[in-house]
Amino acid sequence: MEFRKDLFQNERDDNLNVVGKGVQRQDMPGHVTGRSPFFDDHAFEGLLHLKVVRSPHPHARIRRIDIAAAERAPGVKRILRGSDVPVNKNTLLSLINFGKDDEPTLAVDKVRYKGEPIVAIIAESEAQALAVRALVRVEYEPLPAVFDVEEALKPGAPVINDTYPGNYFEYHEKYDHQKLRFGDVERGFAMADHIVEDRYQMSPIEHAPTETNGSIAAPEQNDRFVVHSCAQGLFFSLGTAAKIVNLDSNRLHFIGGTVGGGFGGKVDSLTEPLSILGAMMTGRPVRYVLDREEEMLYGSPRGAERIYIKDGIARDGRILARQIRSYFDAGAYTRLSSYAAIKCTAHLPGPYTIPNVASDIYVAYTNRCPSTAMRGFGITAVDFALEVHMDKGAEACGLDPMEFRILNAYRDGDMKAHRRVAKNTALIECVQVAAEKARWPLSDEARRQSSLTGGGGARAEIPATPIDENGRINRPETRGGRPTQTLPAGTMRVPMTKQPIMEGSTENRPKAPAVPQYEPYRPAAAAPPPVAPPMTAPPPPAAPPAVAPSPSPAPASQHGAHRFSSVFGTRRR
Amino acid sequence: MAKVPVQFRLNGSDRAAFADPADSLLTVLRRGLNDFGPKYGCGQGTCGTCSVLIDGGLRLACLTLAASCEGASIETVSGMADGPNLHPLQTAFMEHFAAQCGFCTPGMLTAAKALLDRNPNPSREDVIDAIAGNICRCTGYEPIIQAILAAARTLPAQRRS
Ligand code: FES
Ligand code: FES
């Protein structure tokens, strides 16, 4: 490992106790002696085993569930159906009041993806529980299924998740996507010499942790249940399980933190609620572990994303406008996809200073396995698309891809599309070091550039941004909306109407019961109608000093997504 | 199915258990004898995290019928240390950051021990070959290879001949 101490010297504190030094991890002795207590490494007298019957159909109505034969089978202690689950509808982020409950623990009237659990069998041995699956009779009426995000959003597409009948996650219970507008992309495209457009399609990716998902729950003294869990977020799982089995959380004693690989795939509490319910119903310890096949097929993957990017680029290589439309495939239920789109929006347009940016990010439901967190979900895929697109942009204007990035990189003091000032930027230095390591020739000019200089000034301006007649950020042109007025240059944010600013809207939807109340918006009168032409291109990062006169601090954002402070919050300094 | 008794030596001690004739050695070690060293990663011979030594040979416990181990001598990661003294492989794994989540580690150590027991002077290629059946999804292969090579260097000279 190499520390580049020559970079950002005055920003670094070298007086650190741990960073840069080798320190032995406290869990290492356990790992090398095989004594680290993973959830399954606990002995229980009278341990029972739970296995689930899963749907063979991606979309079907359940006509009848017959468990009579299964109940009489040898070794069977208890069969659970949806009606046995105290709170059989949940959404993970309900713990922070985000989104509506939309997913059953055990499906009742419908199955919405292949592999959805319907019935749980608790038996004396794993082999018995597995064998009894064949004795559970479920009658299905298959329904048309949708596997494509854009198909799912077309009018007349089969409704997948009844909680969200439009097949999209509803932000603030009424917006069908996350929206970002900065400047006027159409103007930017009109001024551009090159237009580069493309479509990117990602695949779902299974985390495939070496330890499969699972848990063991057992009755404890004091009327509590001990739960050995593989959860990545132990208290998140505790809260989720407490809600589903309808117990006060202080009656659950979760033990965990030793996770055999998670990567995001162990935040969904796939097994804990049923293990606990099994222990409650049988009074015995119950173990529910996914086998490898279940883990690979039905453990929630990284959601596939479809991303469209359109760039308008000037002859000299400056990106004048960037437009992005993306669809996040949630699968049949929300889980954490709603959060992915927020992260994605917050990340756009990538680490570049672009004076005109527009993005619409949708979360679409399909009849695929619900997707969830995985290593930078919401960011990783769009970054891949953006960086491939950067290479194409460089090619279009005949520039070296490294130099193209340095030219467009954000610098300290620049205004980002979210109307926040860029601080602690380092892309230029990263590209320079990468080029050096790869022995990639850079021009002297590119080597002289620095994130610390050349930003701010005119690059800190907020451009004029078109809005619609309701004072909302303009709707995407793909849906026929026309800008009717313009938010003047320099406006930090839309004066708050009842509509939060970053999202799209859907007409004709019932009013949400609990929309945050904002100050009434007093429209255009105050706004000088035709606005001075927006700054369409950042002045080329000119000769140094011009250290950004940091613009007046932005008022704290109040839009609904502010609770994800890690996304919208400021970084170090 | 009627259970059948099985007896074998486990990490130097005589142990006995009642097993279903279809039970794997992994199930009997973990659920019958509470040796939680070998792990379940796949149950189908693809991940190597259940690796054990049977009469000195590297075997996958998930694919081995317990009943077939009658009278055998079985070593697992749980018996690798000599009391408080760690095996050189264990020390090297600690020093080289060769475990992340730690779930593949018992299998990796067992495969590495099988290698060093028969070849105290392995080349890098020998090491890679020896752990080829073990998946580390945290993908820490390079530190694992380095740790095994380092452990080989610390083995008593006479073993390296
Ligand atoms: S559990 Fe035996 S090889 Fe995976
Ligand atoms: S350390 Fe996690 S699987 Fe290898």
Side-chain angles (χ1 to χ4, degrees):
Chain A
M1 200 184 302
E2 176 193 341
F3 289 98
R4 289 296 294 261
K5 299 205 164 186
D6 51 320
L7 301 171
F8 308 115
Q9 290 184 39
N10 60 345
E11 288 183 24
R12 205 182 47 251
D13 180 2
D14 272 340
N15 193 18
L16 301 170
N17 296 323
V18 174
V19 173
K21 303 186 175 72
V23 174
Q24 189 52 266
R25 284 164 41 184
Q26 51 89 17
D27 55 353
M28 241 2 177
H31 286 351
V32 300
T33 51
R35 293 207 162 77
S36 292
F38 294 92
F39 81 87
D40 202 22
D41 299 341
H42 298 274
F44 283 97
E45 205 53 54
L47 185 63
L48 299 175
H49 301 264
L50 186 150
K51 288 281 165 191
V52 295
V53 175
R54 296 178 181 276
S55 164
H57 300 285
H59 199 192
R61 206 174 303 289
I62 298 176
R63 288 203 167 290
R64 211 164 69 91
I65 301 174
D66 179 1
I67 57 169
E71 274 181 320
R72 288 192 304 269
V76 169
K77 278 289 159 213
R78 179 85 202 215
I79 309 271
L80 303 176
R81 281 172 299 183
S83 52
D84 297 308
V85 182
V87 177
N88 197 24
K89 221 177 195 193
N90 178 52
T91 192
L92 292 171
L93 293 179
S94 64
L95 295 186
I96 56 166
N97 280 327
F98 191 69
K100 295 184 261 190
D101 289 340
D102 69 341
E103 179 169 8
T105 298
L106 293 173
V108 179
D109 48 351
K110 246 178 108 179
V111 283
R112 299 175 179 87
Y113 67 96
K114 190 176 165 188
E116 182 163 2
I118 304 166
V119 167
I121 297 153
I122 303 172
E124 294 282 354
S125 79
E126 212 165 342
Q128 286 167 328
L130 284 170
V132 170
R133 290 189 301 187
L135 300 178
V136 174
R137 304 245 178 278
V138 185
E139 269 177 42
Y140 302 95
E141 175 194 333
L143 297 169
V146 189
F147 301 108
D148 182 275
V149 280
E150 287 180 89
E151 293 298 319
L153 294 180
K154 284 189 181 152
V159 173
I160 295 155
N161 180 335
D162 323 47
T163 308
Y164 297 107
N167 289 343
Y168 52 80
F169 179 78
E170 294 166 11
Y171 288 93
H172 303 282
E173 307 195 358
K174 57 181 170 177
Y175 301 116
D176 63 354
H177 65 278
Q178 287 279 318
K179 189 192 281 290
L180 173 66
R181 289 294 184 277
F182 183 71
D184 183 348
V185 282
E186 292 308 332
R187 259 189 102 110
F189 292 142
M191 295 178 64
D193 296 303
H194 306 283
I195 298 288
V196 181
E197 258 187 291
D198 226 321
R199 169 191 190 270
Y200 300 88
Q201 176 65 54
M202 309 301 161
S203 301
I205 301 173
E206 165 55 31
H207 313 76
T210 313
E211 170 201 65
T212 60
N213 268 277
S215 56
I216 302 178
E220 221 185 18
Q221 301 81 356
N222 308 330
D223 209 19
R224 303 206 304 174
F225 295 89
V226 64
V227 185
H228 293 283
S229 161
C230 72
Q232 278 179 259
L234 201 66
F235 288 88
F236 188 19
S237 186
L238 190 154
T240 299
K243 174 181 169 185
I244 291 172
V245 303
N246 198 23
L247 285 183
D248 287 338
S249 55
N250 63 5
R251 292 189 57 199
L252 295 178
H253 173 194
F254 266 60
I255 299 177
T258 305
V259 180
F263 322 118
K266 287 177 178 166
V267 295
D268 287 4
S269 296
L270 290 176
T271 65
E272 289 81 355
L274 284 180
S275 298
I276 298 165
L277 194 58
M280 289 165 67
M281 300 270 191
T282 61
R284 284 172 61 177
V286 172
R287 169 178 177 268
Y288 174 21
V289 183
L290 301 193
D291 63 29
R292 177 53 58 188
E293 187 181 339
E294 290 177 296
E295 181 73 42
M296 300 303 277
L297 290 173
Y298 316 125
S300 33
R302 178 195 286 282
E305 282 165 76
R306 178 170 305 159
I307 301 161
Y308 294 90
I309 306 177
K310 179 177 176 184
D311 278 358
I313 310 174
R315 195 169 295 117
D316 63 6
R318 284 168 303 141
I319 305 173
L320 304 180
R322 173 167 283 176
Q323 185 180 38
I324 294 149
R325 189 159 43 94
S326 169
Y327 302 90
F328 196 93
D329 189 347
Y333 299 107
T334 307
R335 303 225 180 144
L336 299 174
S337 297
S338 50
Y339 175 45
I342 294 176
K343 285 170 72 184
C344 181
T345 303
H347 186 65
L348 296 172
Y352 304 103
T353 294
I354 301 175
N356 301 287
V357 176
S359 78
D360 297 317
I361 314 294
Y362 296 79
V363 171
Y365 297 100
T366 62
N367 291 110
R368 304 218 285 186
C369 184
S371 53
T372 192
M374 186 184 194
R375 297 196 149 187
F377 68 126
I379 306 281
T380 328
V382 80
D383 252 345
F384 169 77
L386 287 176
E387 293 307 321
V388 173
H389 210 72
M390 288 298 284
D391 286 347
K392 291 177 183 165
E395 202 178 315
C397 44
L399 276 182
D400 175 277
M402 294 278 210
E403 306 236 350
F404 182 63
R405 285 175 171 82
I406 290 178
L407 175 64
N408 287 290
Y410 59 5
R411 298 168 181 235
D412 282 5
D414 287 356
M415 181 57 64
K416 297 196 284 184
H418 308 91
R419 296 166 175 76
R420 301 229 174 190
V421 177
K423 291 180 191 163
N424 307 102
T425 59
L427 178 61
I428 292 174
E429 286 72 14
C430 286
V431 175
Q432 288 164 339
V433 172
E436 180 190 313
K437 298 279 173 207
R439 293 183 218 277
W440 186 277
L442 283 185
S443 67
D444 289 344
E445 162 124 31
R447 268 203 298 266
R448 271 200 308 274
Q449 302 304 309
S450 158
S451 294
L452 300 171
T453 56
R459 294 160 61 101
E461 307 275 320
I462 297 176
T465 300
I467 52 178
D468 72 7
E469 71 278 5
N470 297 320
R472 291 177 302 206
I473 294 287
N474 185 35
R475 305 189 63 190
E477 42 299 303
T478 48
R479 312 174 97 208
R482 285 267 144 250
T484 52
Q485 51 183 330
T486 302
L487 192 62
T491 311
M492 265 298 176
R493 58 194 176 106
V494 177
M496 286 300 178
T497 64
K498 288 183 205 64
Q499 326 293 340
I501 63 165
M502 283 184 55
E503 353 259 318
S505 82
T506 311
E507 304 304 323
N508 307 325
R509 300 202 68 80
K511 222 171 165 35
V515 183
Q517 290 299 309
Y518 300 113
E519 288 164 31
Y521 171 61
R522 263 167 266 99
V531 190
M535 174 62 62
T536 30
V547 172
S550 69
S552 52
S557 165
Q558 274 302 310
H559 60 74
H562 75 281
R563 58 171 67 94
F564 294 110
S565 57
S566 66
V567 172
F568 288 97
T570 44
R571 285 197 297 153
R572 57 180 212 261
R573 253 200 212 159
Chain B
M1 236 176 305
K3 301 243 180 195
V4 294
V6 225
Q7 290 189 51
F8 44 71
R9 276 182 90 70
L10 176 60
N11 295 324
S13 317
D14 287 322
R15 303 295 298 270
F18 283 99
D20 188 300
D23 277 347
S24 68
L25 176 62
L26 184 62
T27 301
V28 170
L29 288 176
R30 291 180 57 83
R31 290 284 154 218
L33 298 171
N34 296 345
D35 180 352
F36 294 113
K39 308 290 182 204
Y40 168 92
C42 68
Q44 51 190 223
T46 55
C47 75
T49 194
C50 64
S51 298
V52 297
L53 300 179
I54 301 179
D55 295 330
L58 186 62
R59 297 285 179 272
L60 297 173
C62 72
L63 294 186
T64 304
L65 286 176
S68 73
C69 297
E70 183 67 39
S73 170
I74 296 168
E75 293 167 65
T76 70
V77 70
S78 315
M80 206 161 169
D82 178 10
N85 304 317
L86 296 182
H87 187 278
L89 276 165
Q90 293 173 308
T91 316
F93 266 56
M94 287 183 67
E95 282 168 1
H96 287 79
F97 193 66
Q100 291 183 56
C101 76
F103 201 78
C104 70
T105 313
M108 289 284 183
L109 284 166
T110 307
K113 181 163 189 295
L115 169 70
L116 297 192
D117 283 352
R118 66 168 197 278
N119 176 5
N121 272 316
S123 67
R124 182 181 162 84
E125 285 61 41
D126 295 334
V127 171
I128 291 172
D129 196 53
I131 60 168
N134 296 67
I135 287 175
C136 175
R137 180 58 169 159
C138 303
T139 61
Y141 295 107
E142 193 53 39
I144 293 169
I145 295 166
Q146 295 306 329
I148 297 170
L149 288 170
R153 287 193 295 271
T154 65
L155 285 178
Q158 71 279 12
R159 289 190 60 198
R160 284 189 280 133
S161 66

